[in-house]
Amino acid sequence: MNAAPSRLPVTVLTGFLGAGKTTLLNHLLRESGGRYAVIVNEYGEIGIDGELVVGAEEEVLELNNGCICCKVRGDLIRVVSGLLKRRGRFDGILIETTGLADPAPVVQSFMADDEIRQQARVDGVVCVVDACHFLTSLERSREAGVQLAHASLVVINKAELADEAVVAQVEREIARLNPGATVLRSARGAVPAAALLDQGAYELPRLELPAAPSAARARYVPVPQGRHTDGLACVSLVLQRPLERGRFLAWLQRLVTERGEKLLRTKGIVALAGADRRFVFQGVHMMVDSDFDRPWRTEETRDSRLVFIGHGLDDSELRAGLDACQVSPA
């Protein structure tokens, strides 16, 4: 019997206006050695960035006159469906969004459409930030925070132009708001292609979360809320006691149903009572993917680690909800 073909990886490039997305895209196309279809989205009627893409000899497709996250989302599905009919010609798809786009609807398109989901997968969301202006953008723009929240990898571009203290502050802000993201510095988008590709960031078996700090014996590791607009914050929680399966799943379902609009990103590795395997989940707004993962290793601490990124999160409410899901102490 022939093995099912692997799903085509899709990398989403996001980042605020002027951060250097197209520069990074061109570097990636030159350095990867692969064959990629490129989808470039621009807000205006006349596409410019598509003309600046080099090295994608197979396909460069432009989606103009609207943001890919809303107005031209249907066009994205249509274009991707067309590419998948010729998938043997490509090693992957690269999508560059506008500087004002929310990456969530793009990711959700690959989770919700059955035909696309069976043939393609989001491999990672790369957020490009400008080392010199990111902190200001983060304070003044809701979009900059949303883009950061969805990133599996953040490239601090133009790092050579900023003071070391500023770059270090950018790194701290990124770690505070999205502690699970990998962070790289770059000059003119020069980042090893291998670091950007094959991330597997949206595959449950490859989900990684920061290890609990050594004070880890503490029940919770809260991340203080930042000073950003719209109350964007990250809450990271570590629980030592196993969670009762029925209570936890009901709590999670209720959370994403009632708060999904403001809940940008959720992910967790959970120790369920009586389960020998890790329970892994990740979600974008109200869409959650979950399953049992590999068995717990003997040397591992069977704790639960959960990360929530969104607007207006109430960490005490999250703690209380999860507290109620833990099994009683022996």
Side-chain angles (χ1 to χ4, degrees):
M1 180 181 294
N2 293 329
S6 59
R7 294 186 295 166
L8 198 66
V10 178
T11 301
V12 180
L13 299 180
T14 187
F16 202 59
L17 300 165
K21 296 185 294 298
T22 304
T23 302
L24 180 70
L25 174 61
N26 283 333
H27 175 79
L28 181 59
L29 290 169
R30 285 194 298 267
E31 299 298 323
S32 70
R35 303 167 301 162
Y36 289 92
V38 178
I39 300 173
V40 178
N41 177 218
E42 292 195 66
Y43 203 77
E45 294 183 14
I46 300 176
I48 300 297
D49 287 351
E51 297 294 326
L52 302 179
V53 175
V54 297
E57 298 180 357
E58 293 289 346
E59 294 276 2
V60 177
L61 303 163
E62 296 183 45
L63 298 178
N64 301 329
N65 202 23
C67 229
I68 204 170
C69 64
C70 45
K71 191 174 180 181
V72 298
R73 186 179 177 189
D75 290 343
L76 171 66
I77 295 175
R78 177 180 54 77
V79 167
V80 171
S81 297
L83 289 172
L84 292 175
K85 293 176 181 175
R86 298 176 285 127
R87 57 171 298 176
R89 295 174 57 181
F90 312 113
D91 298 312
I93 299 174
L94 305 175
I95 300 176
E96 179 186 347
T97 69
T98 74
L100 298 173
D102 176 354
V106 181
V107 175
Q108 288 174 317
S109 297
F110 289 88
M111 299 172 70
D113 188 287
D114 286 340
E115 181 180 349
I116 291 178
R117 182 186 175 98
Q118 291 174 11
Q119 300 184 66
R121 61 178 174 82
V122 174
D123 182 67
V125 176
V126 178
C127 180
V128 186
V129 305
D130 184 324
C132 299
H133 303 295
F134 176 66
L135 296 176
T136 301
S137 299
L138 199 57
E139 288 184 9
R140 297 178 179 176
S141 164
R142 178 186 176 91
E143 289 84 0
V146 169
Q147 292 164 354
L148 173 63
H150 289 287
S152 54
L153 187 150
V154 182
V155 175
I156 304 176
N157 196 30
K158 308 177 189 178
E160 81 282 8
L161 302 178
D163 291 340
E164 173 59 30
V166 172
V167 178
Q169 179 62 22
V170 169
E171 290 174 332
R172 285 194 293 271
E173 290 297 297
I174 293 170
R176 179 157 60 172
L177 289 171
N178 189 346
T182 301
V183 180
L184 300 174
R185 297 186 184 189
S186 81
R188 298 182 179 181
V191 176
L196 304 179
L197 303 173
D198 194 28
Q199 296 180 50
Y202 284 79
E203 295 178 73
L204 290 177
R206 297 174 65 177
L207 181 64
E208 298 286 346
L209 290 176
S214 58
R217 295 336 231 175
R219 294 173 60 207
Y220 299 108
V221 183
V223 175
Q225 292 196 5
R227 52 190 164 76
H228 311 295
T229 57
D230 299 315
L232 179 64
C234 173
V235 178
S236 300
L237 303 175
V238 179
L239 298 98
Q240 305 299 324
R241 299 203 306 274
L243 305 185
E244 197 282 320
R245 179 175 179 173
R247 290 202 299 266
F248 172 67
L249 293 181
W251 176 84
L252 183 61
Q253 179 63 45
R254 188 167 59 252
L255 177 71
V256 300
T257 300
E258 296 177 355
R259 308 291 175 83
E261 185 177 351
K262 293 185 176 181
L263 200 55
L264 303 178
R265 194 86 169 91
T266 58
K267 47 191 172 183
I269 299 173
V270 178
L272 294 179
D276 293 329
R277 306 176 76 87
R278 307 189 313 174
F279 182 79
V280 183
F281 73 92
Q282 63 169 331
V284 177
H285 289 296
M286 285 177 280
M287 300 188 67
V288 177
D289 194 10
S290 64
D291 204 351
F292 281 100
D293 183 28
R294 62 169 173 79
W296 289 97
R297 298 189 177 104
T298 305
E299 69 276 14
E300 282 183 311
T301 300
R302 291 196 184 195
D303 55 13
S304 297
R305 285 170 282 149
L306 306 94
V307 176
F308 306 90
I309 306 174
H311 294 100
L313 296 181
D314 184 336
D315 61 335
S316 60
E317 182 182 359
L318 291 170
R319 284 200 300 267
L322 286 166
D323 246 345
C325 298
Q326 293 188 96
V327 299
S328 301

